[in-house]
Amino acid sequence: MKFTFAEPQRAHNPAMFLSAGARKPNPEVPERIQRLLTGVNDAGLSMIAAQDHGLTAVSAVHSPEYLEFLQTIYGQWQTINGASDEVIPNIHPNRRDFSYPTSPVGRAGYHMADTACPIAADTWNSAYWSAQTAIEAAKLVQNGEPAAYALCRPPGHHAYADMAGGFCFLNNSAIAAQILRESHDRVVILDVDLHHGNGTQGIFYHRADVMTVSIHVDPSVFYPFFWGYASERGEGAGLGYNYNLPLARGSGNQEFLDALDLALDRIRAYRPGALVVALGLDASEHDPFGGFTVNEQGFTSIAQKCASLKLPTVIVQEGGYICDQLGGNLTHFLRGFGG
């Protein structure tokens, strides 16, 4: 298996986020890249440097209004007297069907779901190259590779078509799926991150050509709180094409693998032509978020079950935060998949 990567992803280095109202160091830091590179190298994968494919694939998923916001908001924010060093919203609308604000404060509230996605000088460029990394992997698979791993950072699955959130700015998994749609009538995104892939769900919620499946901690007690319930099945043409499998906090290997069996049954019934795995290593028993208790063997088993679908597959890195086992968990997953 090959993996894709782009060096500019290192530049984004958010200082803080708010958690339960407290200012804390942001865990989505550049060091994640080095830990993941160690894991992918230990798995023996060969690297393909991501090329610049432009915004065509990105704009197939994200609105032009939102892309313009991501590219310009930092500079506009700095013109505000006394503004923070990073763009962090202090107001959020309770509806989004109104006139678009011109104030950078209003625009930040409109396009940023929470305070976990601060935007600094290097954020756009890192997010852009994170998306290019996913695009490169999708094109490898589109051109005949059976599978490819995209080492994407910052992650993407909390990003909606026009809204950032949860450390995420551009939805790399959705972008990869949209590329695979050029070659396949039906594509599935299987999200195995600790947190529900709410942005991915939102992007495809009214579509039947991309099925979205997510295994995650019960959102009634865990981020993102307002999305990820089993009752969310899609709407309109997408009704029945969104499948959420929330699990109790603290669930381990067996509970996760049982849910994965249900997910795979649903995926096989859909008969997709290609698969995107939104890989969150934060399900680990050692991850600082402490949501699940999956161990290294669990990640091997998750990968083996995903590989059993025998579909052209793009594996896109989502969560997984600093702990001694981060790289090893990735190694176990990639080896389990057959990398």
Side-chain angles (χ1 to χ4, degrees):
M1 188 192 303
K2 295 181 173 67
F3 82 99
T4 58
F5 177 64
E7 283 291 337
Q9 296 180 95
R10 297 181 189 270
H12 173 62
N13 191 13
M16 55 82 68
F17 79 133
L18 292 180
S19 178
R23 180 186 175 105
K24 296 182 180 178
N26 196 305
E28 208 294 282
V29 292
E31 186 184 347
R32 293 183 64 233
I33 287 176
Q34 207 54 46
R35 304 283 183 116
L36 294 167
L37 280 173
T38 298
V40 76
N41 289 329
D42 287 348
L45 275 61
S46 56
M47 190 185 90
I48 302 293
Q51 303 301 303
D52 190 346
H53 299 280
L55 281 174
T56 300
V58 177
S59 63
V61 168
H62 294 287
S63 72
E65 189 175 69
Y66 177 59
L67 295 177
E68 188 269 339
F69 164 81
L70 288 177
Q71 292 174 76
T72 63
I73 187 60
Y74 178 76
Q76 295 174 359
W77 193 263
Q78 298 312 303
T79 67
I80 302 172
N81 185 32
S84 58
D85 292 337
E86 298 175 321
V87 180
I88 301 174
N90 57 270
I91 185 170
H92 296 283
N94 64 358
R95 62 188 184 91
R96 303 183 84 233
D97 57 344
F98 44 74
S99 297
Y100 188 64
T102 57
S103 162
V105 176
R107 294 176 75 211
Y110 186 88
H111 287 299
M112 301 170 76
D114 52 50
T115 58
C117 50
I119 296 174
D122 296 310
T123 300
W124 164 251
N125 196 47
S126 289
Y128 177 85
W129 280 101
S130 185
Q132 299 305 314
T133 298
I135 293 168
E136 191 73 35
K139 288 188 176 293
L140 286 174
V141 171
Q142 192 178 44
N143 292 329
E145 291 288 336
Y149 166 67
L151 202 170
C152 293
R153 186 269 162 183
H157 72 150
H158 296 308
Y160 287 82
D162 65 351
M163 189 164 57
F167 313 145
C168 301
F169 303 94
L170 298 175
N171 196 309
N172 304 312
S173 294
I175 292 166
Q178 189 65 39
I179 291 172
L180 294 175
R181 273 286 291 110
E182 297 170 3
S183 307
H184 303 279
D185 290 338
R186 292 182 301 279
V187 175
V188 64
I189 301 175
L190 173 59
D191 193 320
V192 295
D193 190 276
L194 174 67
H195 306 90
H196 175 247
N198 54 318
T200 309
Q201 171 178 296
I203 288 168
F204 297 111
Y205 205 60
H206 295 85
R207 291 172 53 173
D209 60 326
V210 178
M211 182 179 181
T212 48
V213 181
S214 182
I215 303 170
H216 51 271
V217 175
D218 179 358
S220 67
V221 296
F222 212 71
Y223 186 92
F225 297 109
F226 307 108
W227 305 275
Y229 295 87
S231 58
E232 297 162 11
R233 298 169 48 236
E235 291 180 354
L239 182 61
Y241 294 89
N242 185 79
Y243 188 32
N244 287 329
L245 292 152
L247 301 177
R249 187 167 186 170
S251 294
N253 289 2
Q254 193 58 57
E255 294 90 346
F256 197 103
L257 293 172
D258 287 347
L260 183 56
D261 285 337
L262 296 175
L264 297 183
D265 287 345
R266 184 67 60 90
I267 290 169
R268 291 187 179 99
Y270 181 57
R271 299 185 64 82
L275 168 69
V276 174
V277 177
L279 176 59
L281 299 169
D282 45 3
S284 167
E285 61 184 337
H286 301 288
D287 191 88
F289 278 104
F292 282 152
T293 56
V294 174
N295 61 23
E296 289 180 336
Q297 182 54 51
F299 284 111
T300 298
S301 299
I302 291 167
Q304 290 170 339
K305 285 180 178 290
C306 292
S308 73
L309 291 170
K310 300 186 184 303
L311 292 170
T313 301
V314 180
I315 302 165
V316 177
Q317 187 63 53
E318 296 289 355
Y321 301 95
I322 301 300
C323 61
D324 291 342
Q325 294 77 15
L326 179 57
N329 288 335
L330 178 58
T331 302
H332 276 76
F333 183 91
L334 293 172
R335 286 177 176 168
F337 199 89

